[in-house]
Amino acid sequence: MKKNCCAVVFLLSAVPIILLSCSTAKISINKTEFQKVNTIAIMEFDRSPGIERAIAIECEEAFRGHFIDIGKSVVERNKLSSILKEIERSQTGIIQNAEEIGRLSGAQALLFGNITKNSEEVRWVEYNEYVKNPVSKQTEKITKKKRMKFFTFQVQARLISTVNGSTIMTIMNEHPERSYEMTDSMTLTRYRAYVLDRMGKDLAKITKKKD
């Protein structure tokens, strides 16, 4: 079943701020400022304890692909790494040096991310079945239990201007947990890829949407 997106537009100082809630992503974007951005630098994503760096790289690369798909250029990882090392040798504080990163990389915005959840577990859940009693002919409710797989993944990201440090966009997956039957072939890796893919589709939808 197709789910429709719901967008609300606010006028803040004559600048349209669009809030979008779709089946996967919750996005707040200043489209006027976003349209000024040609090149984006994707910073190393933060992550909660226990979440491997490989997961962060997976998310960073997913957003790299999302931005390229909507026509933005993305600073190469090796180039950005060299720039950050140069800044670290001379100064402190990445966000405070957003302007310097922009000047050296040619990026008009930096993407910061944070992965707060990435887990899986099996739980017993109750469910109801309705059967017809052959004697009374009445429909009866029978409560049963079964095991189900639960996957949890949460990523949040914000796009910061290198010109004035303002927030241009925030994006996060709105429903981090989902359950599947034990017989389903879904894994945590596939679930994470599914969420990131849907977030990219939602991002493309809102950036193409006319004000």
Side-chain angles (χ1 to χ4, degrees):
M1 180 175 66
K2 185 178 180 181
K3 295 185 179 180
N4 295 324
C5 295
C6 177
V8 181
V9 180
F10 294 91
L11 289 180
L12 181 60
S13 301
V15 177
I17 305 295
I18 298 179
L19 303 178
L20 176 81
S21 181
C22 284
S23 58
T24 301
K26 183 176 182 180
I27 305 171
S28 174
I29 184 170
N30 183 325
K31 291 194 73 174
T32 300
E33 293 302 313
F34 188 80
Q35 289 167 358
K36 297 177 183 178
V37 175
N38 296 314
T39 303
I40 296 169
I42 298 178
M43 311 303 290
E44 182 175 311
F45 279 24
D46 293 329
R47 59 196 192 278
S48 295
I51 298 178
E52 299 178 355
R53 171 65 186 141
I55 305 301
I57 293 175
E58 179 183 331
C59 294
E60 293 161 14
E61 290 303 307
F63 278 99
R64 178 184 301 275
H66 298 339
F67 286 124
I68 291 174
D69 287 344
I70 60 175
K72 304 295 184 183
S73 296
V74 180
V75 179
E76 289 296 327
R77 182 183 294 275
N78 290 339
K79 178 181 179 180
L80 181 61
S81 179
S82 297
I83 291 171
L84 293 178
K85 287 179 181 178
E86 180 181 336
I87 292 176
E88 287 174 3
R89 283 195 294 266
S90 58
Q91 303 176 33
T92 58
I94 296 300
I95 294 181
Q96 289 80 355
N97 291 294
E99 183 177 348
E100 182 70 2
I101 296 173
R103 184 183 68 81
L104 295 173
S105 67
Q108 292 83 45
L110 310 180
L111 184 77
F112 294 87
N114 186 23
I115 306 162
T116 57
K117 299 176 182 178
N118 183 69
S119 64
E120 61 181 312
E121 65 175 318
V122 175
R123 305 176 197 163
W124 284 97
V125 297
E126 289 188 350
Y127 68 100
N128 296 322
E129 283 189 359
Y130 295 86
V131 297
K132 191 171 184 179
N133 188 308
V135 177
S136 66
K137 307 299 182 182
Q138 298 294 316
T139 300
E140 299 177 350
K141 182 176 73 172
I142 300 176
T143 300
K144 296 184 176 182
K145 287 186 177 182
K146 64 179 178 180
R147 294 196 308 162
M148 294 190 70
K149 299 185 291 186
F150 285 79
F151 300 113
T152 305
F153 172 67
Q154 180 86 76
V155 59
Q156 307 169 23
R158 67 191 191 283
L159 192 65
I160 305 297
S161 169
T162 59
V163 177
N164 54 29
S166 65
T167 299
I168 298 173
M169 180 192 75
T170 61
I171 181 172
M172 66 180 290
N173 56 309
E174 194 166 16
H175 307 290
E177 184 179 81
R178 189 165 178 176
S179 62
Y180 293 86
E181 297 286 346
M182 293 297 295
T183 54
D184 196 288
S185 60
M186 183 63 75
T187 64
L188 179 58
T189 299
R190 292 179 61 187
Y191 174 67
R192 191 169 56 244
Y194 166 78
V195 171
L196 290 169
D197 179 68
R198 293 303 311 172
M199 292 177 77
K201 287 180 169 58
D202 289 344
L203 178 60
K205 187 177 297 183
I206 193 174
T207 54
K208 292 177 182 177
K209 184 179 180 66
K210 294 183 179 180
D211 296 340

Coordinates of all heavy atoms in Angstrom, one line a residue, residues 3-7 18-28 63 66 154-157 169-176 194-206:
K3 N 2.1 4.9 0.7 CA 1.9 5.9 1.8 C 2.2 7.3 1.2 O 3.3 7.5 0.6 CB 2.8 5.6 3.0 CG 2.5 4.3 3.7 CD 3.3 4.1 4.9 CE 2.9 2.8 5.6 NZ 3.7 2.6 6.8
N4 N 1.4 8.2 1.5 CA 1.6 9.6 1.0 C 2.4 10.4 2.0 O 2.4 10.2 3.2 CB 0.2 10.3 0.8 CG -0.6 9.6 -0.3 OD1 0.0 9.2 -1.3 ND2 -1.9 9.6 -0.1
C5 N 3.2 11.3 1.4 CA 4.0 12.2 2.3 C 3.1 13.3 2.7 O 2.2 13.7 2.0 CB 5.2 12.7 1.5 SG 6.4 11.4 1.1
C6 N 3.5 13.9 3.8 CA 2.8 15.1 4.3 C 3.7 16.2 4.5 O 4.7 16.0 5.3 CB 2.1 14.7 5.6 SG 1.2 16.1 6.4
A7 N 3.6 17.3 3.8 CA 4.5 18.4 3.9 C 3.8 19.6 4.4 O 2.7 19.9 4.1 CB 5.1 18.7 2.5
I18 N 10.6 23.8 5.0 CA 9.7 22.7 4.7 C 9.9 21.6 5.7 O 11.1 21.1 5.8 CB 9.8 22.3 3.3 CG1 9.4 23.4 2.3 CG2 8.9 21.1 3.0 CD1 9.5 23.1 0.9
L19 N 8.9 21.1 6.3 CA 8.9 19.9 7.2 C 8.2 18.8 6.4 O 7.1 18.9 6.1 CB 8.3 20.2 8.5 CG 8.8 21.3 9.3 CD1 8.0 21.5 10.6 CD2 10.3 21.1 9.6
L20 N 8.9 17.7 6.2 CA 8.4 16.5 5.5 C 8.4 15.3 6.4 O 9.4 15.0 7.0 CB 9.2 16.3 4.2 CG 8.7 15.1 3.4 CD1 7.5 15.4 2.6 CD2 9.8 14.6 2.5
S21 N 7.3 14.6 6.4 CA 7.2 13.3 7.1 C 6.7 12.3 6.2 O 5.5 12.4 5.7 CB 6.3 13.4 8.4 OG 6.3 12.2 9.1
C22 N 7.5 11.3 5.8 CA 7.1 10.3 4.9 C 7.1 9.0 5.6 O 7.2 8.9 6.8 CB 8.1 10.3 3.7 SG 7.8 11.6 2.5
S23 N 7.1 7.9 4.8 CA 7.1 6.5 5.4 C 8.3 6.2 6.2 O 8.4 5.4 7.1 CB 6.8 5.5 4.3 OG 7.9 5.6 3.3
T24 N 9.5 6.9 5.8 CA 10.7 6.6 6.5 C 11.4 7.8 7.1 O 11.8 7.8 8.3 CB 11.7 6.0 5.4 OG1 11.2 4.8 4.9 CG2 13.0 5.7 6.1
A25 N 11.5 8.9 6.4 CA 12.3 10.1 6.8 C 11.5 11.2 7.3 O 10.4 11.5 6.8 CB 13.2 10.5 5.7
K26 N 12.0 11.9 8.3 CA 11.5 13.2 8.8 C 12.5 14.2 8.4 O 13.7 14.2 8.9 CB 11.3 13.2 10.3 CG 10.7 14.4 10.9 CD 10.4 14.3 12.3 CE 9.7 15.6 12.9 NZ 9.4 15.4 14.3
I27 N 12.2 15.2 7.6 CA 13.1 16.1 7.0 C 12.6 17.6 7.3 O 11.5 17.9 7.1 CB 13.3 15.9 5.5 CG1 13.7 14.5 5.2 CG2 14.3 16.9 4.9 CD1 13.7 14.1 3.7
S28 N 13.6 18.4 7.7 CA 13.3 19.9 7.8 C 14.4 20.5 6.9 O 15.6 20.3 7.1 CB 13.5 20.3 9.3 OG 13.4 21.7 9.3
F63 N 24.7 8.5 2.1 CA 24.3 9.9 1.9 C 25.1 10.5 0.7 O 24.6 11.4 0.0 CB 24.5 10.7 3.2 CG 23.4 10.6 4.1 CD1 23.4 9.7 5.2 CD2 22.2 11.4 3.9 CE1 22.3 9.6 6.1 CE2 21.1 11.3 4.8 CZ 21.2 10.4 5.9
H66 N 23.1 9.7 -2.2 CA 21.9 10.4 -2.2 C 22.1 11.8 -2.8 O 21.3 12.3 -3.6 CB 21.3 10.5 -0.8 CG 20.9 9.2 -0.2 ND1 20.7 8.1 -0.9 CD2 20.7 8.9 1.1 CE1 20.4 7.1 -0.1 NE2 20.4 7.5 1.1
Q154 N 18.8 3.8 13.9 CA 18.5 5.2 14.0 C 19.7 6.0 13.5 O 20.8 5.9 14.1 CB 18.1 5.6 15.4 CG 17.7 7.1 15.5 CD 16.3 7.4 15.2 OE1 15.4 7.1 16.0 NE2 16.0 8.0 14.0
V155 N 19.5 6.9 12.5 CA 20.5 7.8 12.1 C 19.9 9.2 11.9 O 18.8 9.3 11.4 CB 21.2 7.3 10.8 CG1 20.2 7.2 9.6 CG2 22.3 8.2 10.4
Q156 N 20.7 10.2 12.4 CA 20.3 11.6 12.2 C 21.4 12.3 11.6 O 22.6 12.0 11.8 CB 20.0 12.2 13.6 CG 19.0 11.4 14.4 CD 18.9 11.9 15.9 OE1 19.3 13.0 16.2 NE2 18.5 11.0 16.8
A157 N 21.1 13.3 10.7 CA 22.1 14.1 10.0 C 21.6 15.5 9.9 O 20.4 15.8 9.8 CB 22.4 13.5 8.7
M169 N 19.6 21.8 6.7 CA 18.7 20.7 6.6 C 18.9 19.7 7.8 O 20.1 19.6 8.2 CB 18.8 19.9 5.3 CG 17.9 18.7 5.1 SD 18.4 17.7 3.7 CE 19.9 16.9 4.4
T170 N 17.9 19.1 8.3 CA 18.0 18.0 9.2 C 17.2 16.8 8.7 O 16.2 17.0 8.0 CB 17.6 18.3 10.6 OG1 16.2 18.7 10.6 CG2 18.3 19.5 11.2
I171 N 17.7 15.6 8.9 CA 17.0 14.4 8.4 C 17.2 13.3 9.3 O 18.3 13.1 9.9 CB 17.5 14.0 6.9 CG1 16.7 12.8 6.4 CG2 19.0 13.8 6.9 CD1 17.0 12.5 5.0
M172 N 16.2 12.5 9.6 CA 16.3 11.3 10.4 C 15.3 10.3 10.0 O 14.2 10.7 9.4 CB 16.2 11.7 11.9 CG 14.8 12.2 12.3 SD 14.6 12.6 14.0 CE 14.7 10.9 14.7
N173 N 15.5 9.0 10.3 CA 14.5 8.0 10.0 C 13.5 8.1 11.2 O 13.9 8.0 12.3 CB 15.1 6.6 9.8 CG 15.9 6.1 10.9 OD1 16.9 6.8 11.4 ND2 15.7 4.9 11.4
E174 N 12.2 8.2 10.9 CA 11.2 8.5 11.9 C 10.9 7.3 12.7 O 10.5 7.5 13.9 CB 10.0 9.1 11.2 CG 9.0 9.8 12.2 CD 8.0 10.6 11.5 OE1 7.8 10.5 10.2 OE2 7.3 11.4 12.2
H175 N 10.9 6.1 12.2 CA 10.5 4.9 12.9 C 11.6 3.9 12.9 O 11.8 3.1 12.0 CB 9.2 4.3 12.2 CG 8.1 5.2 12.1 ND1 7.4 5.7 13.1 CD2 7.6 5.8 10.9 CE1 6.4 6.6 12.7 NE2 6.6 6.6 11.3
P176 N 12.5 4.0 14.0 CA 13.7 3.2 14.0 C 13.5 1.7 14.1 O 14.5 0.9 13.8 CB 14.5 3.8 15.2 CG 13.4 4.3 16.1 CD 12.3 4.8 15.2
Y194 N 17.8 -0.9 3.6 CA 16.5 -0.5 3.2 C 16.1 0.9 3.8 O 15.6 1.8 3.0 CB 15.5 -1.5 3.8 CG 14.1 -1.1 3.7 CD1 13.3 -1.1 2.5 CD2 13.4 -0.6 4.8 CE1 12.0 -0.6 2.4 CE2 12.1 -0.2 4.8 CZ 11.4 -0.2 3.6 OH 10.1 0.2 3.5
V195 N 16.4 1.2 5.1 CA 16.1 2.5 5.7 C 16.9 3.6 5.0 O 16.3 4.6 4.6 CB 16.4 2.4 7.2 CG1 16.3 3.8 7.8 CG2 15.5 1.5 7.9
L196 N 18.2 3.4 4.7 CA 19.0 4.4 4.1 C 18.5 4.7 2.7 O 18.5 5.8 2.2 CB 20.5 4.0 4.1 CG 21.2 3.9 5.5 CD1 22.5 3.2 5.4 CD2 21.3 5.4 6.0
D197 N 18.1 3.6 2.0 CA 17.6 3.8 0.6 C 16.3 4.6 0.6 O 16.2 5.5 -0.2 CB 17.4 2.4 0.0 CG 16.8 2.5 -1.4 OD1 17.6 3.0 -2.3 OD2 15.6 2.2 -1.6
R198 N 15.4 4.3 1.6 CA 14.2 5.0 1.6 C 14.4 6.5 2.0 O 13.7 7.4 1.5 CB 13.2 4.4 2.6 CG 12.7 3.0 2.3 CD 12.0 3.0 0.9 NE 11.0 4.1 0.8 CZ 10.4 4.4 -0.3 NH1 10.6 3.8 -1.4 NH2 9.5 5.4 -0.3
M199 N 15.4 6.8 2.9 CA 15.7 8.1 3.2 C 16.2 8.9 2.0 O 15.9 10.1 1.8 CB 16.8 8.1 4.3 CG 16.3 7.6 5.7 SD 17.6 7.6 7.0 CE 17.6 9.3 7.4
G200 N 17.0 8.2 1.2 CA 17.4 8.9 -0.1 C 16.3 9.2 -1.0 O 16.3 10.3 -1.6
K201 N 15.3 8.3 -1.1 CA 14.2 8.6 -1.9 C 13.3 9.7 -1.4 O 12.8 10.6 -2.2 CB 13.3 7.3 -2.1 CG 13.9 6.2 -3.0 CD 13.0 5.0 -3.0 CE 13.5 4.0 -4.1 NZ 14.9 3.6 -4.0
D202 N 13.2 9.8 -0.1 CA 12.4 10.9 0.6 C 13.1 12.2 0.3 O 12.5 13.3 0.1 CB 12.2 10.6 2.0 CG 11.2 9.5 2.3 OD1 10.5 9.1 1.4 OD2 11.2 9.0 3.5
L203 N 14.5 12.2 0.4 CA 15.3 13.4 0.2 C 15.1 13.9 -1.2 O 14.9 15.1 -1.5 CB 16.7 13.2 0.5 CG 17.7 14.3 0.2 CD1 17.3 15.5 1.1 CD2 19.1 13.9 0.5
A204 N 15.1 13.0 -2.2 CA 14.9 13.4 -3.6 C 13.5 13.9 -3.8 O 13.4 14.9 -4.6 CB 15.2 12.1 -4.5
K205 N 12.6 13.4 -3.1 CA 11.2 13.8 -3.3 C 11.0 15.2 -2.8 O 10.4 16.1 -3.5 CB 10.3 12.9 -2.5 CG 8.8 13.1 -2.8 CD 7.9 12.1 -2.0 CE 8.2 10.7 -2.6 NZ 7.4 9.7 -1.9
I206 N 11.6 15.6 -1.6 CA 11.4 16.9 -1.1 C 12.2 18.0 -1.8 O 11.7 19.1 -2.0 CB 11.7 17.0 0.4 CG1 11.1 18.3 1.0 CG2 13.2 16.8 0.7 CD1 11.3 18.3 2.5

